[in-house]
């Protein structure tokens, strides 16, 4: 377990600003930001591509925005909301206002919270490109992978609509259908699990996936149900990071999960005690350090994963389907490879849309337009403009990347 450091009893207000340095060009850097009881992690790729995974609770918004201003100097390339709970989305509006974003991804299921609705409306207006982990329609068995340059890729392992139904009747279906993503850089990898639940872990364990990760972002703030022994055995993390608040009401992280992490010999960091945690990978070694501990630097060898970090098999329901590589094409340095322009041959329902009478719809104030059937539209209550002809929509707006009208 991570050794306690002096000063842990200090109140949040007495904290010095993070002493952790800016990202180093040529390295992959992941900041597990200190947002109290919630999650927020910033990925900065060797070429400077940025991905923010979650934005902490509302009360962390100001601090998160300030930290992002220090760490990124252009709009985030991608913002991922793992699931629509307030401790993951509350700080996002402030963060997005502070630094901007080019794309937004969430798991794509509806959730009746005002904060989530408001976020979607904000994102629809300010970000425009909204996407889900759905695979390219032309290759439905593949996993969605986002290329971040220099061979760094971020692959969405869960959820997998429409190939796999959303997990239902779990302790929390919103948690259980969190986006789970694996970030890979040469021999090193990171697994981001959101608030995933035991059924999520079971579903992933049944797939032909390489779940191993040098660094694990522990599910659900270290809650006792998640991070089952079987899952941790497969992930075999050498380091683990728990994002949770000082003295939180939930008792996170649970002694059970701390014990299971000890059982797999993971060096464990926790943001309530260690503050912000920074992990830097050169492709073979990950060095972790925390903002509150001068002595907390550890080097983690990624060597044991050599040869297999991106050997992800397709997620399929039936085991005897063909098992090629999941990543259908090399990651694009330019960002999201989903439904990229290189695949115009994909069966495009829009080619017949004018015959079938499908309309194109834009949300009020949005820079993009969607197919009328796009799920993004169903999740927004904004006013909308309807175009009966694609050409009319395109004169005024860009096609959305989620439904590629
Ligand atoms: Zn949470
Ligand atoms: Zn949650």
């Amino acid at each position: 377990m991570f050794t306690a450091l002096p000063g842990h009893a200090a109140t949040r207000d007495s904290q010095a600003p993070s002493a952790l340095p800016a990202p180093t060009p040529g390295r992959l850097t992941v900041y597990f930001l200190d947002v109290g009881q919630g999650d927020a992690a910033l990925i900065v790729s060797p070429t400077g591509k940025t991905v923010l995974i979650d934005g902490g609770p509302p009360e962390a918004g100001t601090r998160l925005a300030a930290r992002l201003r220090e760490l990124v100097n252009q709009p985030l390339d991608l913002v991922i909301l793992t699931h629509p709970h307030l401790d993951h989305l509350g700080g996002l509006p402030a963060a997005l206002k502070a630094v901007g974003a080019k794309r937004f991804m969430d798991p794509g299921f509806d959730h009746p919270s005002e904060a989530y609705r408001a976020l979607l409306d904000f994102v629809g207006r300010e970000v425009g490109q909204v996407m889900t982990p759905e695979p390219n329609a032309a290759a439905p068995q593949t996993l969605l992978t986002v290329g971040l340059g220099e061979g760094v890729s971020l692959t969405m392992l869960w959820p997998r609509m429409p190939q796999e139904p959303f997990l239902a009747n779990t302790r929390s279906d919103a948690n259980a259908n969190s986006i789970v993503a694996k970030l890979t850089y040469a021999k090193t990898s990171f697994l981001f699990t959101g608030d995933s639940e035991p059924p999520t872990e079971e579903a992933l364990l049944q797939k032909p996936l390489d779940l191993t990760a040098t660094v694990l972002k522990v599910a659900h703030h270290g809650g006792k149900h998640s991070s089952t022994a079987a899952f941790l055995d497969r992930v075999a993390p050498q380091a683990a990071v728990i994002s949770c608040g000082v003295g939180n009401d939930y008792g996170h992280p649970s002694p059970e999960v701390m014990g299971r992490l000890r059982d797999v010999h993971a060096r464990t960091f926790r943001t309530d005690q260690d503050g912000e945690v920074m992990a830097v990978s050169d492709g073979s070694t990950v060095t972790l350090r925390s903002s509150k501990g001068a002595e907390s630097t550890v080097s983690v060898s990624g060597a044991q994963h050599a040869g297999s970090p991106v050997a992800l098999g397709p997620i399929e329901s039936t085991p005897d389907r063909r098992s090629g590589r999941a990543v259908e094409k090399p990651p694009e340095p330019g960002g999201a490879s989903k439904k990229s322009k290189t695949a115009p041959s994909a069966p495009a329902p829009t080619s017949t849309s004018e015959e079938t009478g499908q309309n194109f719809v834009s949300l009020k104030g949005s820079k993009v337009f969607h197919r009328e059937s796009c799920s993004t539209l169903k999740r927004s209550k904004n006013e909308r403009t309807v175009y009966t002809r694609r050409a009319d929509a395109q004169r005024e707006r860009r096609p959305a990347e989620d439904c590629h009208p």
Side-chain angles (χ1 to χ4, degrees), residues 11-369:
T11 63
R12 186 158 299 285
D13 292 334
S14 68
Q15 266 175 242
S18 171
L20 293 173
T24 313
R27 300 284 164 93
L28 170 65
T29 308
V30 179
Y31 295 90
F32 297 92
L33 302 165
D34 180 9
V35 289
Q37 182 63 18
D39 266 16
L42 175 70
I43 298 166
V44 184
S45 84
T47 56
K49 297 281 174 197
T50 53
V51 181
L52 178 68
I53 303 183
D54 289 334
E59 58 272 23
T62 306
R63 193 154 39 110
L64 175 66
R67 188 66 180 127
L68 289 175
R69 274 198 211 93
E70 292 172 351
L71 294 173
V72 305
N73 46 28
Q74 51 187 344
L76 296 157
D77 290 288
L78 174 65
V79 173
I80 294 176
L81 173 64
T82 60
H83 66 294
H85 277 163
L86 201 58
D87 56 325
H88 298 250
L89 72 80
L92 280 180
L96 294 176
K97 276 175 200 151
V99 295
K102 297 175 186 162
R103 293 181 179 80
F104 174 86
M105 182 192 296
D106 77 3
F109 55 84
D110 205 355
H111 190 72
S113 92
E114 269 308 307
Y116 179 54
R117 298 276 169 177
L119 175 69
L120 287 182
D121 291 341
F122 177 81
V123 160
R125 279 195 316 275
E126 302 296 326
V127 180
Q129 299 294 7
V130 179
M131 53 202 295
T132 65
E134 237 173 81
N136 187 326
Q141 298 303 329
T142 61
L143 297 163
L144 170 61
T145 290
V146 177
L148 299 175
E150 298 269 329
V152 176
S153 60
L154 184 63
T155 302
M156 312 306 153
L157 306 182
W158 197 263
R160 285 275 298 156
M161 283 287 276
Q163 278 68 37
E164 302 272 339
F166 278 112
L167 294 167
N169 306 314
T170 65
R171 294 179 62 256
S172 160
D173 291 353
N175 284 347
N177 295 289
S178 287
I179 290 180
V180 177
K182 181 169 174 174
L183 174 70
T184 304
Y185 181 32
K187 293 175 180 173
T188 64
S189 52
F190 296 72
L191 189 64
F192 298 90
T193 53
D195 279 357
S196 55
E197 291 277 334
T200 326
E201 297 179 355
E202 278 162 39
L204 291 171
L205 286 170
Q206 283 164 21
K207 309 297 172 192
L209 290 169
D210 176 6
L211 297 174
T212 58
T214 321
V215 181
L216 170 68
K217 197 296 292 178
V218 176
H220 201 197
H221 323 288
K224 67 180 177 183
H225 299 282
S226 307
S227 310
T228 56
F231 187 71
L232 292 182
D233 272 349
R234 267 281 282 282
V235 177
Q238 296 178 55
V241 180
I242 296 170
S243 194
C244 61
V246 177
N248 66 78
D249 294 339
Y250 307 94
H252 291 157
S254 67
E256 291 92 337
V257 165
M258 294 304 285
R260 295 200 285 271
L261 288 167
R262 262 196 308 277
D263 290 345
V264 296
H265 309 291
R267 179 70 186 268
T268 300
F269 292 77
R270 39 192 287 191
T271 59
D272 60 337
Q273 295 186 348
D274 302 314
E276 185 175 298
V277 177
M278 177 190 196
V280 181
S281 170
D282 63 5
S284 59
T285 299
V286 181
T287 302
L288 294 106
R289 52 200 292 205
S290 78
S291 64
K292 287 195 189 170
E295 308 303 318
S296 60
T297 299
V298 296
S299 287
V300 181
S301 165
Q304 72 178 60
H305 307 306
S308 66
V310 289
L312 298 162
I315 294 189
E316 296 178 9
S317 307
T318 44
D320 47 351
R321 309 274 290 270
R322 102 190 103 85
S323 61
R325 283 170 67 97
V327 181
E328 86 212 63
K329 50 185 173 283
E332 283 173 28
S337 64
K338 185 193 186 189
K339 299 173 185 174
S340 79
K341 292 100 207 149
T342 60
S345 56
T350 46
S351 61
T352 56
S353 59
E354 277 163 38
E355 296 146 38
T356 60
Q358 191 190 51
N359 293 327
F360 300 93
V361 178
S362 182
L363 295 171
K364 188 180 178 197
S366 169
K367 302 182 189 92
V368 304
F369 67 95

